[in-house]
Each structure stands twice: as structure tokens, then as C-alpha cells.
Amino acid sequence: PTTLTDDALRQHIAAELDRARQRTSALADAVDEQDLVSQHSPLMSPLVWDYAHIANQEEIWLVRDVGRHDAVRSDIDDMYDAFQNARADRPALPLLSPVQTRGYVAQVRDKVLDVLNSARLNADPLTQAGFAFGMVVQHEQQHDETMLATHQLRRTGPALHAPTPAPDRATGLPAEIFLPAGGFTMGTSTEAWALDNERPAHEVQVDAFFLDTTPVTNGQFAAFLDAGGYDDERWWSVGGWAHRHRANLSAPLFWFRNDNGDWYRRSFGTVLPVAADEPVVHVCYYEAEAYAAWAGRRLPTEAEWEKAARWDPDTQRSRRYPWGDADPTPVHANLGQQHLRPALAGSYPAGASPLGVHQLMGDVWEWTSSTLSAYPGFRPFPYDEYTKVFLGSDYRVLRGGSFGTDRAACRGTFRNWDYPIRRQIFAGFRTARNAGRA
Ligand code: AVJ
Ligand code: FE
């Protein structure tokens, strides 16, 4: 968006705001009012909380901070402040009803479109290339993925529908790809809507390593399970083993066996056979780590993942995506909730990296071994609560986005994070190994 004219930038922002809202409305309208206000899991908010929180943040950032207009409703800020209310406590709040929420959401959006028409863009860092609007678009899309995870936790029948992915698929791929030693540019100083934690661009040295060509599949993960991997302490870290017992882990979340011993998984109110060639999803970091140890491998670091996704061996430069600088389309990756499951391993050859690593973007978020840290030169922007307050905790970084991640909230530099025990998110992984000295 940096190169757009002012008019084109406003149109782009309006389209992105609208695209996010279409998705939010669809997620909310798919269920009845009772379903919207009830809590489907203590890990999640009632859907109606996310819905109003999206509008409340939009109001704070765009109506009040950019537009300098009066508050639409300042009396509800505390209720929709994520830091003041743990998810488990949100159903007990005197939340806006679904009808009130829809009214509030629409009222805020009307004002935001006024602000968009009259605001000076590129006037200051907050409006540079429409940054605050881009941040709000990404915030809504991120909460839409959270709402999608809530949908997956519902036990009350199917509400969402989407076709099974059927993209182009490469066969006969090598199991792993060699990444040569050397520096690469990690992070960005030029991506207009990149969030604070992706900045600034900086040089990172990476030793030679091998990386799985595709995410680890259900079939591969089931081999670990069948080999007794969940009961063998050797494969687990100390924290992982303790958690495996505390939470009584024995298979990915949502998996169950039928009477014949075949694996099935609950998926958005339906039941699917566990497809051997599909990337595994709904595993926590500790399960990913244990699988990798069992396979004689390890999880990639965040820097290794980003080098694989962005480094172009021909030009030695970092690009925006594995396939180049162009925005994602449906031939590149399974993004944007076009499907409700990952695509088979080897899919989207048009989205592979120059060295042949497939499905880095979309399908499943990929656990890395890295904790969330600040890049050298990191500056919290525009508020400490997006990233800064999360630094130095036990979060692990996830990369690449899932089938439920919108393209606006996903790119080669994008960093997601969560606790290593979390598995209601659409997370899988791929493994790596050291290449040693040539
Ligand atoms: C960066 C995805 C971990 O969903 O908790 C949403 C994004 N920040 N509202 C989250 C976010 C504030 C955040 N993650
Ligand atoms: Fe939020």
C-alpha cells in the first residue's frame, strides 16, 4: 500500500475493513443467539464478546485516536478489555446482547468510514500508509480466527460449511530440503502494515539445516502415537512430560477411535476420518517437540523458518512470501477460511519456496522452538499491549498461518505466539535437523 495514491489507499482500506466484517458477521450469524452468548470452552470467550471487542478496539483506535471524535460508548471499554477480564470470566460480565452488539458494531463502522474519508493519511506514524486501519483490519481478522477456533469447540452440531480443499498437489517430493548456511534478512522495515514485533529488518546468521518439505502429517504423527510415543518419557521435555500427565494427553485434540480402532476427528460439528496425508492439527508445542525427538529431529527455530520462507537463493534477498512478493491467492496457499481443514501434504506447488519447501503459508500454524523475543531495535508501536507485555514469558512463536488465517494477517514476517500447552488453535508443525559442517 505504500505506493498507492491517497484515493486508492482509502479504497483499499475500505475494502479490507469490509472483507473482515463480512467474515465476522458470517461467523456470528452462523449460530443462534443462545449459542452466541454461551461459553463453548473455558479457553474461549463467548462469540458475542469477540464481536463487541472487535468494535470496541476499532472505536478506540480509529474513532477516538485517529479521528479525534467523541467516544461512541466509553462505558464499555473495561468490559471488552482483554487484560482486565480473563476469557473464563467473560460470560459472567454484563455483556451487550447480540442485538445491542450488532447495533454497536454497525455504529462504530459508520463513524470509521467517516474518519477514513476525512483523515489525513501519511500524516504521522499512526496513519502512515494507513497503518492504524491496517492494524484494526488485522485485529478483526485475528479475532475471526479465534472465533473460528470457538466454532471448532462447539459440541452442538455443524454451523459452518466449506468445500474440501482440492488444490494442485505435487507428488514424489523429497522428505526434506537443504538450506545452506549463511545470513539472511529477518523481519521488515518496509512492509506497510507489519506489526511492531516484525520490525525492524535485521541480519541473522543461520547454520546449514534440513527442513521437512511439508508439515508433519496425521499418518506420520499416528506412527509416533502407535509406537507408544505418548508413554515414553525419552521423547518429552521435562515441562512436556509434566504437562502430558497433568492434561492426560494421548492423541491430538479432537481425535477419537471408533470400535474398530480407526482414528476419527471432530471437525466443526462433523466427524471426519483422520486422513493420513493431511497435516496434523490441534497439537500443542510439547506434542510437536516429542514427535520431533522421536523422529530423531527437532523443531525449527523461528529464524530457520523465516529463512526457508523468505530467502531467495538467486538474489540472496528476503521476499514477502515463499513464492515471491505477490499477495497470496488461492493457488498459493490454503488461507482465509476458504476451507475448514488443511490440504494434503504437497499441495500448492505454486506456493512453494524457490528451494522447494511446501505449505509454509496456510494450512496449519507451525510451532517453532523460539520463545517470543524482541528483534534488535524493537520499538513497541503503537501500544505496549500488542507485543511488549507478552515478551519474556513462556510463549512459543508460531509461523505461517492456518486455513483459518486471513491473508491480511499473515505474511513471511508475521509472528504469532501462544503457550506451549495450547492446542485449540489451528497449529501443527514441521521438523528440522542440523546439517553439520560441509
Ligand atoms: C497475536 C494472535 C496471539 O489473538 O491473542 C488480538 C492477537 N492481540 N487482540 C491474540 C491479538 C489483541 C493475539 N495473537
Ligand atoms: Fe483483541
Coordinates of all heavy atoms in Angstrom, one line a residue, residues 287-333:
E287 N 3.7 -31.7 22.3 CA 3.5 -32.9 21.4 C 4.4 -32.8 20.2 O 4.9 -33.8 19.8 CB 2.0 -33.0 21.0 CG 1.1 -33.4 22.2 CD -0.4 -33.2 21.9 OE1 -0.8 -32.0 21.7 OE2 -1.1 -34.2 21.8
A288 N 4.5 -31.6 19.6 CA 5.3 -31.4 18.4 C 6.8 -31.7 18.8 O 7.5 -32.4 18.0 CB 5.2 -29.9 17.9
E289 N 7.2 -31.2 19.9 CA 8.6 -31.4 20.4 C 8.9 -32.9 20.6 O 9.9 -33.4 20.2 CB 8.7 -30.6 21.7 CG 10.0 -30.4 22.3 CD 9.9 -29.7 23.6 OE1 9.1 -30.1 24.5 OE2 10.7 -28.8 23.8
A290 N 7.9 -33.6 21.2 CA 8.1 -35.0 21.5 C 8.1 -35.8 20.2 O 9.0 -36.7 20.0 CB 7.0 -35.5 22.4
Y291 N 7.3 -35.5 19.2 CA 7.3 -36.2 17.9 C 8.7 -36.0 17.3 O 9.3 -36.9 16.8 CB 6.2 -35.6 17.0 CG 6.4 -36.1 15.6 CD1 5.7 -37.3 15.2 CD2 7.2 -35.5 14.7 CE1 5.9 -37.8 13.9 CE2 7.4 -36.0 13.4 CZ 6.8 -37.2 13.0 OH 7.0 -37.7 11.8
A292 N 9.1 -34.7 17.3 CA 10.4 -34.4 16.6 C 11.5 -35.2 17.3 O 12.4 -35.8 16.5 CB 10.7 -32.9 16.7
A293 N 11.6 -35.3 18.6 CA 12.6 -36.1 19.3 C 12.5 -37.5 18.9 O 13.6 -38.2 18.6 CB 12.5 -35.9 20.8
W294 N 11.3 -38.1 18.9 CA 11.1 -39.5 18.5 C 11.6 -39.7 17.0 O 12.2 -40.8 16.7 CB 9.6 -39.8 18.6 CG 9.2 -41.1 17.9 CD1 9.4 -42.4 18.5 CD2 8.6 -41.3 16.7 NE1 8.9 -43.3 17.6 CE2 8.4 -42.7 16.5 CE3 8.2 -40.4 15.7 CZ2 7.9 -43.3 15.4 CZ3 7.6 -41.0 14.5 CH2 7.5 -42.4 14.4
A295 N 11.4 -38.7 16.2 CA 11.9 -38.9 14.8 C 13.4 -38.6 14.6 O 13.9 -38.6 13.5 CB 11.0 -37.9 13.9
G296 N 14.1 -38.3 15.7 CA 15.5 -38.0 15.6 C 15.8 -36.6 15.1 O 16.8 -36.4 14.5
R297 N 14.8 -35.7 15.3 CA 14.9 -34.4 14.7 C 14.5 -33.4 15.8 O 14.5 -33.7 17.0 CB 13.9 -34.3 13.5 CG 14.3 -35.4 12.4 CD 13.3 -35.4 11.3 NE 13.3 -34.2 10.5 CZ 14.1 -34.0 9.5 NH1 15.1 -34.8 9.2 NH2 14.0 -32.9 8.8
R298 N 14.2 -32.2 15.4 CA 13.9 -31.1 16.3 C 13.0 -30.1 15.6 O 12.8 -30.2 14.4 CB 15.2 -30.4 16.8 CG 15.9 -29.8 15.6 CD 17.1 -28.9 16.1 NE 18.0 -28.5 15.0 CZ 17.7 -27.4 14.2 NH1 16.6 -26.7 14.4 NH2 18.5 -27.0 13.3
L299 N 12.4 -29.2 16.4 CA 11.6 -28.2 15.7 C 12.5 -27.1 15.2 O 13.6 -26.9 15.7 CB 10.6 -27.5 16.8 CG 9.6 -28.5 17.3 CD1 8.7 -27.7 18.3 CD2 8.7 -29.0 16.2
P300 N 12.1 -26.4 14.1 CA 13.0 -25.3 13.6 C 12.9 -24.1 14.5 O 11.9 -23.9 15.2 CB 12.4 -25.0 12.2 CG 10.9 -25.4 12.4 CD 10.9 -26.6 13.3
T301 N 14.0 -23.3 14.5 CA 13.9 -22.0 15.2 C 13.0 -21.1 14.3 O 12.8 -21.4 13.1 CB 15.2 -21.4 15.4 OG1 15.8 -21.1 14.1 CG2 16.2 -22.3 16.1
E302 N 12.6 -20.0 14.9 CA 11.9 -19.0 14.1 C 12.7 -18.5 13.0 O 12.2 -18.3 11.9 CB 11.5 -17.9 15.1 CG 10.5 -16.9 14.6 CD 10.2 -15.8 15.5 OE1 10.8 -15.7 16.6 OE2 9.4 -15.0 15.1
A303 N 14.0 -18.3 13.2 CA 14.9 -17.7 12.1 C 15.0 -18.7 11.0 O 15.0 -18.4 9.8 CB 16.2 -17.4 12.7
E304 N 15.1 -20.0 11.3 CA 15.2 -21.0 10.3 C 13.9 -21.0 9.5 O 13.9 -21.1 8.2 CB 15.4 -22.4 10.9 CG 16.9 -22.6 11.4 CD 17.0 -23.9 12.2 OE1 16.1 -24.4 12.8 OE2 18.2 -24.3 12.3
W305 N 12.8 -21.0 10.2 CA 11.5 -21.0 9.5 C 11.4 -19.8 8.5 O 11.1 -20.0 7.3 CB 10.3 -21.0 10.5 CG 9.0 -21.2 9.8 CD1 8.4 -22.4 9.7 CD2 8.2 -20.3 9.0 NE1 7.2 -22.3 9.0 CE2 7.1 -21.0 8.5 CE3 8.4 -18.9 8.7 CZ2 6.1 -20.3 7.8 CZ3 7.4 -18.3 7.9 CH2 6.3 -19.0 7.5
E306 N 11.8 -18.6 9.0 CA 11.7 -17.4 8.1 C 12.7 -17.4 7.0 O 12.3 -17.0 5.9 CB 11.8 -16.1 9.0 CG 11.5 -14.9 8.1 CD 11.3 -13.6 8.9 OE1 10.7 -13.7 10.0 OE2 11.7 -12.6 8.4
K307 N 13.8 -18.0 7.2 CA 14.8 -18.1 6.1 C 14.2 -19.0 5.0 O 14.3 -18.7 3.8 CB 16.2 -18.6 6.6 CG 17.2 -18.7 5.5 CD 18.6 -19.0 6.0 CE 19.5 -19.1 4.7 NZ 20.9 -19.4 5.2
A308 N 13.7 -20.1 5.5 CA 13.1 -21.1 4.5 C 11.9 -20.4 3.7 O 11.7 -20.7 2.5 CB 12.6 -22.3 5.2
A309 N 11.2 -19.5 4.4 CA 10.0 -18.9 3.8 C 10.3 -17.7 2.9 O 9.6 -17.4 2.0 CB 9.0 -18.5 4.9
R310 N 11.5 -17.1 3.2 CA 11.6 -15.8 2.5 C 12.9 -15.6 1.7 O 13.0 -14.8 0.8 CB 11.6 -14.6 3.6 CG 10.3 -14.5 4.3 CD 10.3 -13.3 5.2 NE 10.5 -12.1 4.5 CZ 11.1 -11.0 5.0 NH1 11.7 -11.0 6.2 NH2 11.3 -9.9 4.3
W311 N 13.9 -16.4 2.0 CA 15.2 -16.2 1.4 C 15.3 -16.7 0.0 O 14.9 -17.9 -0.3 CB 16.3 -16.9 2.3 CG 17.7 -16.7 1.8 CD1 18.4 -15.6 1.8 CD2 18.5 -17.8 1.2 NE1 19.7 -15.8 1.2 CE2 19.8 -17.1 0.9 CE3 18.3 -19.1 1.0 CZ2 20.8 -17.9 0.4 CZ3 19.4 -19.8 0.4 CH2 20.6 -19.2 0.1
D312 N 15.7 -15.9 -0.9 CA 15.8 -16.3 -2.3 C 17.2 -16.5 -2.7 O 18.0 -15.6 -2.7 CB 15.2 -15.1 -3.2 CG 15.3 -15.4 -4.7 OD1 15.9 -16.4 -5.1 OD2 14.9 -14.5 -5.4
P313 N 17.6 -17.8 -2.9 CA 19.0 -18.1 -3.2 C 19.6 -17.4 -4.4 O 20.8 -17.2 -4.5 CB 19.0 -19.7 -3.4 CG 17.5 -20.1 -3.5 CD 16.7 -19.0 -3.0
D314 N 18.7 -17.1 -5.4 CA 19.2 -16.4 -6.6 C 19.7 -15.0 -6.3 O 20.8 -14.6 -6.7 CB 18.2 -16.4 -7.7 CG 17.9 -17.7 -8.3 OD1 18.8 -18.6 -8.2 OD2 16.9 -17.9 -9.0
T315 N 18.9 -14.3 -5.6 CA 19.2 -12.9 -5.4 C 19.8 -12.6 -4.0 O 20.2 -11.5 -3.7 CB 17.9 -12.0 -5.5 OG1 17.0 -12.4 -4.4 CG2 17.3 -12.1 -6.8
Q316 N 19.7 -13.7 -3.1 CA 20.2 -13.6 -1.7 C 19.4 -12.6 -0.9 O 19.8 -12.1 0.1 CB 21.7 -13.2 -1.7 CG 22.6 -14.1 -2.4 CD 22.9 -15.4 -1.7 OE1 23.2 -15.3 -0.5 NE2 22.9 -16.5 -2.3
R317 N 18.2 -12.3 -1.4 CA 17.3 -11.3 -0.7 C 16.1 -12.0 0.0 O 15.8 -13.1 -0.4 CB 16.7 -10.3 -1.6 CG 17.7 -9.4 -2.2 CD 17.1 -8.3 -3.1 NE 18.1 -7.3 -3.4 CZ 18.3 -6.3 -2.5 NH1 17.7 -6.3 -1.4 NH2 19.3 -5.4 -2.8
S318 N 15.5 -11.3 1.0 CA 14.3 -11.9 1.6 C 13.1 -11.3 0.9 O 13.0 -10.1 0.6 CB 14.3 -11.5 3.1 OG 15.2 -12.2 3.8
R319 N 12.1 -12.2 0.6 CA 10.9 -11.7 -0.1 C 9.8 -11.7 0.9 O 9.9 -12.1 2.0 CB 10.7 -12.7 -1.3 CG 12.0 -12.8 -2.1 CD 11.8 -13.6 -3.4 NE 11.2 -14.9 -3.2 CZ 11.0 -15.8 -4.2 NH1 11.4 -15.4 -5.4 NH2 10.4 -16.9 -4.0
R320 N 8.6 -11.3 0.4 CA 7.5 -11.2 1.3 C 6.9 -12.6 1.6 O 6.4 -12.8 2.7 CB 6.4 -10.3 0.7 CG 6.8 -8.9 0.5 CD 5.8 -8.1 -0.2 NE 4.6 -7.9 0.7 CZ 3.3 -7.8 0.2 NH1 3.1 -8.0 -1.1 NH2 2.3 -7.6 1.1
Y321 N 6.9 -13.5 0.6 CA 6.3 -14.8 0.8 C 7.2 -15.9 0.1 O 8.1 -15.5 -0.6 CB 4.9 -14.8 0.0 CG 3.9 -13.9 0.6 CD1 3.7 -12.6 0.1 CD2 3.2 -14.2 1.7 CE1 2.7 -11.8 0.6 CE2 2.2 -13.4 2.3 CZ 2.0 -12.1 1.7 OH 1.1 -11.3 2.3
P322 N 6.9 -17.1 0.4 CA 7.8 -18.2 -0.2 C 7.8 -18.1 -1.8 O 8.8 -18.4 -2.4 CB 7.1 -19.5 0.2 CG 6.4 -19.1 1.5 CD 6.0 -17.7 1.3
W323 N 6.7 -17.7 -2.4 CA 6.6 -17.6 -3.8 C 7.1 -16.3 -4.4 O 7.1 -16.2 -5.6 CB 5.2 -17.9 -4.3 CG 4.2 -17.0 -3.7 CD1 3.8 -15.8 -4.1 CD2 3.4 -17.2 -2.5 NE1 2.9 -15.2 -3.2 CE2 2.6 -16.1 -2.2 CE3 3.3 -18.3 -1.6 CZ2 1.8 -16.0 -1.1 CZ3 2.5 -18.2 -0.5 CH2 1.7 -17.1 -0.3
G324 N 7.4 -15.3 -3.6 CA 7.8 -14.0 -4.1 C 7.1 -12.9 -3.3 O 6.8 -13.1 -2.2
D325 N 6.9 -11.8 -4.0 CA 6.4 -10.6 -3.3 C 4.9 -10.4 -3.5 O 4.3 -9.5 -2.9 CB 7.1 -9.3 -3.8 CG 8.6 -9.3 -3.3 OD1 8.8 -9.9 -2.3 OD2 9.4 -8.8 -4.1
A326 N 4.3 -11.2 -4.4 CA 2.8 -11.0 -4.7 C 2.0 -11.5 -3.5 O 2.3 -12.5 -2.9 CB 2.5 -11.8 -6.0
D327 N 0.9 -10.8 -3.3 CA -0.1 -11.2 -2.3 C -0.6 -12.6 -2.5 O -0.7 -13.0 -3.7 CB -1.3 -10.2 -2.2 CG -0.9 -8.8 -1.6 OD1 0.1 -8.8 -0.9 OD2 -1.6 -7.9 -1.9
P328 N -1.0 -13.3 -1.5 CA -1.5 -14.7 -1.6 C -2.8 -14.7 -2.5 O -3.6 -13.8 -2.4 CB -1.8 -15.1 -0.2 CG -1.0 -14.2 0.7 CD -0.9 -12.9 -0.1
T329 N -2.9 -15.8 -3.3 CA -4.1 -16.1 -4.0 C -4.4 -17.5 -3.7 O -3.6 -18.2 -3.1 CB -4.0 -15.9 -5.5 OG1 -3.2 -17.0 -6.0 CG2 -3.4 -14.6 -5.9
P330 N -5.6 -18.0 -4.1 CA -5.9 -19.4 -3.8 C -5.0 -20.5 -4.5 O -5.1 -21.6 -4.1 CB -7.4 -19.5 -4.3 CG -7.9 -18.1 -4.2 CD -6.8 -17.3 -4.6
V331 N -4.2 -20.1 -5.4 CA -3.2 -21.1 -5.9 C -2.0 -21.2 -5.1 O -1.2 -22.1 -5.2 CB -2.8 -20.8 -7.4 CG1 -4.0 -20.7 -8.3 CG2 -1.8 -19.6 -7.5
H332 N -1.8 -20.2 -4.2 CA -0.6 -20.2 -3.4 C -0.7 -20.9 -2.1 O 0.2 -21.5 -1.6 CB -0.2 -18.7 -3.1 CG 0.3 -18.0 -4.2 ND1 -0.3 -16.8 -4.6 CD2 1.3 -18.2 -5.1 CE1 0.3 -16.3 -5.7 NE2 1.3 -17.1 -6.0
A333 N -1.9 -20.8 -1.4 CA -2.0 -21.3 -0.1 C -3.4 -21.4 0.4 O -4.3 -20.7 -0.1 CB -1.3 -20.3 0.9

